Structures are given as structure tokens and as C-alpha cells.
Amino acid sequence: MKAGFIGLGAMGRAMAANLLRAGHDVAVWARRAESMAPLVALGARAAESPADCARGADAVLCVVTAGPDVRQVALGADGVIEGAPPGCVFIDHSTIPPSTARDIADALARRSIDMLDAPVSGGERGAIDASLSIMAGGDAAVFERMRPLLSSVGRTLVHVGPNGAGQVAKACNQLLLCAFIEAAAEAARLARANGVDFGTVREAVMHGSAASRALDLFGGKMAARDFSAGVQARLHHKDMGIVLGEAAALGLAMPLSAAVWQQLNALMGQGGATRDTSALLTVLEASPA
């Protein structure tokens, strides 16, 4: 297929490379021209703008930080909407509010451009290995038409429902993940307060019913006291803000999510925005015993 790819951070760069390896014809665009160079070396075309990236494309994939960024590259001046042909599909892999995804889908539909909101889970490792889990919202027929493209970057592909449903699924994923990370931090704090090595506790628990990927990855960083970013805490802070924004809009009581977000707020306040989310442990350690 002929595809555009917008956003070449750690995730996007790996995903675009996998599209090229799968034999797709790929154009790339990023705000920083130097980000495109490694992919051009692999055979991609460097586009001059999101509109140029979309010209003649069957689909344009996007991974950027937040809702306003997605809106700008999709609908802004020289955006995808200005270059994509009728029938093109805008596939947004970013994590943004469901309402924003629906608004963008409606605007694109008026120009006969389809959209899938298709956030991913699996992190940078999953992007490199093309093993991401993709949860998609949009028309089911469009999803099936894009399956060959999505299969080049992900292993588990689930059509969740209409536009916005993919972002709802991602919000649920992030709610659970961040709650698990905070739980791991509290377990590490409890172990240490009792004079017990958390690394050994983690090893024991990983063979029990409380085992989880969050305990394995984030708990492992806590045990090693390695808070260098695997996932920057600011991104989870943003994601939990989306969760609580949805809760406020729908009038839902979500006390656990609110408590986890406050811990992330505290981590931001301590200057931990670019540290790994496992640094939630340091927030607990800064509190009175």
C-alpha cells in the first residue's frame, strides 16, 4: 500500500521502518527534518508537509503527543485534509481524548476521508518488534481494508467500535496500567519499611496471582532503582488527565484514578516529568513514614 507516516519519535520511527520492511511505499513527515533522514536511508520519501505526506496515499498513519497536535496535522493549514485523496484513511495511533477523535473524524468525513482512531499499547519495544496491540475505533469495513497495513506494525488488532471507541479502550488500558504501577510502588514501599528486599518480593510475587507486566517492567525498575525513562511519566500524566476528563464529562466517580493522578501530579511537581513512571516510588518515599 501507499502510506504516509507523521510523527517520528521513538514509536513512530520504529513503526514507519516496519512499514518499509513489509514492502509498503512510505512517505514520512516530522517537524524536525533530521528525524526523517534514517527512514529516507531505508527508502522512504521525505515529505514537505502533512498535506504532501498524504498526497496519493491509501492511508496516513500518525503518532504525535496530544490532541491539539493531532488536530493540527490532520486539519490545520497544509494538513492531511488538504492533501489526502477521497477514500484515504487517516489512522491515528496517538493517545488523545475520545471526543477529539470523533471531532477529527467528522471533519475528515466531510472531505470523504475515513479515520481510524487506533491507539497502541506495547511501548517502544513493541513498536520495534511490530508486536503492538492496536485498539481501533471507526467503520468496521475500513478497519478490515487497513488490516494489511496495521499488521505490519502490530500483532494484536481489535476493532472496538465506532470512532472514539479505540481511544476509550486506550483510556481504560492506561487507567489499569497506571493503577498497577502505583500499586507496585506501594508494595515496594511496604517491603522496604519492613526491611525486606523488594527485588526478592517481586520475584516471589511474579509467580503468584498478582503477577503482571507492570510489576515485571516497572517493578523491576523500582527494585533496581533505575528511574531512567522507559516511559516518561509526563505521558502517563497526560493519559490519566484524559481518563479524568472523560469521568468529569460523564459524571462518573473514579476515586482510584483520581488518587493515581494526584500521585503523578506530585511526581511532576518534584521535577520527574521525564523520569520513568516507576519514579512514583520516590513520591511515596518523600512522604512521612
Side-chain angles (χ1 to χ4, degrees), residues 218 221 226-238 264-280 282:
F218 294 94
K221 291 179 76 69
D226 172 16
F227 303 124
S228 58
V231 180
Q232 291 188 1
R234 66 182 180 87
L235 299 176
H236 283 148
H237 181 257
K238 178 208 70 169
L264 285 163
N265 281 342
L267 182 55
M268 301 301 102
Q270 291 177 4
T274 60
R275 303 181 87 187
D276 188 82
T277 307
S278 57
L280 279 171
T282 66

Side-chain angles (χ1 to χ4, degrees), residues 20-72:
L20 288 163
R21 293 188 186 102
H24 299 289
D25 181 0
V26 182
V28 295
W29 183 83
R31 290 189 178 98
R32 294 183 295 110
E34 60 268 24
S35 299
M36 296 186 275
L39 292 157
V40 170
L42 293 176
R45 176 178 71 86
E48 297 179 357
S49 66
D52 182 38
C53 196
R55 287 193 178 98
D58 299 304
V60 179
L61 294 77
C62 173
V63 184
V64 293
T65 302
D69 304 308
V70 179
R71 191 183 296 275
Q72 180 63 32

Side-chain angles (χ1 to χ4, degrees), residues 43-269:
R45 176 178 71 86
E48 297 179 357
S49 66
D52 182 38
C53 196
R55 287 193 178 98
D58 299 304
V60 179
L61 294 77
C62 173
V63 184
V64 293
T65 302
D69 304 308
V70 179
R71 191 183 296 275
Q72 180 63 32
V73 299
L75 307 178
D78 224 7
V80 169
I81 196 170
E82 300 298 329
C88 181
V89 183
F90 180 64
I91 305 175
D92 181 34
H93 293 300
S94 316
T95 299
I96 64 175
S99 58
T100 302
R102 296 184 192 107
D103 289 346
I104 295 171
D106 289 345
L108 291 173
R110 291 193 285 272
R111 298 283 285 271
S112 299
I113 302 167
D114 292 307
M115 177 174 171
L116 295 175
D117 53 286
V120 299
S121 181
E124 185 178 352
R125 186 74 257 166
I128 292 169
D129 295 341
S131 61
L132 293 167
S133 295
I134 301 175
M135 46 208 92
D139 183 86
V142 173
F143 174 76
E144 289 303 323
R145 180 155 51 95
M146 291 295 107
R147 186 179 286 275
L149 201 64
L150 295 172
S151 295
S152 300
V153 298
R155 183 176 298 160
T156 303
L157 314 178
V158 179
H159 178 250
V160 185
N163 281 122
Q167 294 296 347
V168 171
K170 183 60 184 291
C172 292
N173 183 88
Q174 299 306 83
L175 183 165
L176 291 164
L177 174 60
C178 291
F180 290 156
I181 298 170
E182 173 64 17
E186 294 186 14
R189 182 71 168 132
L190 179 63
R192 184 176 181 184
N194 277 280
V196 177
D197 175 59
F198 177 63
T200 305
V201 170
R202 170 181 162 275
E203 181 182 355
V205 172
M206 281 300 297
H207 295 283
S209 57
S212 69
R213 179 171 177 156
L215 180 61
D216 184 20
L217 296 180
F218 294 94
K221 291 179 76 69
M222 292 174 198
R225 300 200 66 80
D226 172 16
F227 303 124
S228 58
V231 180
Q232 291 188 1
R234 66 182 180 87
L235 299 176
H236 283 148
H237 181 257
K238 178 208 70 169
D239 296 346
M240 290 304 293
I242 291 172
V243 169
L244 290 180
E246 288 297 299
L250 296 169
L252 303 178
M254 304 187 75
L256 178 58
S257 295
V260 172
W261 195 46
Q262 287 300 336
Q263 291 298 96
L264 285 163
N265 281 342
L267 182 55
M268 301 301 102

Side-chain angles (χ1 to χ4, degrees), residues 4-17:
F5 206 105
I6 296 172
L8 301 176
M11 297 288 291
R13 182 170 58 250
M15 294 168 74

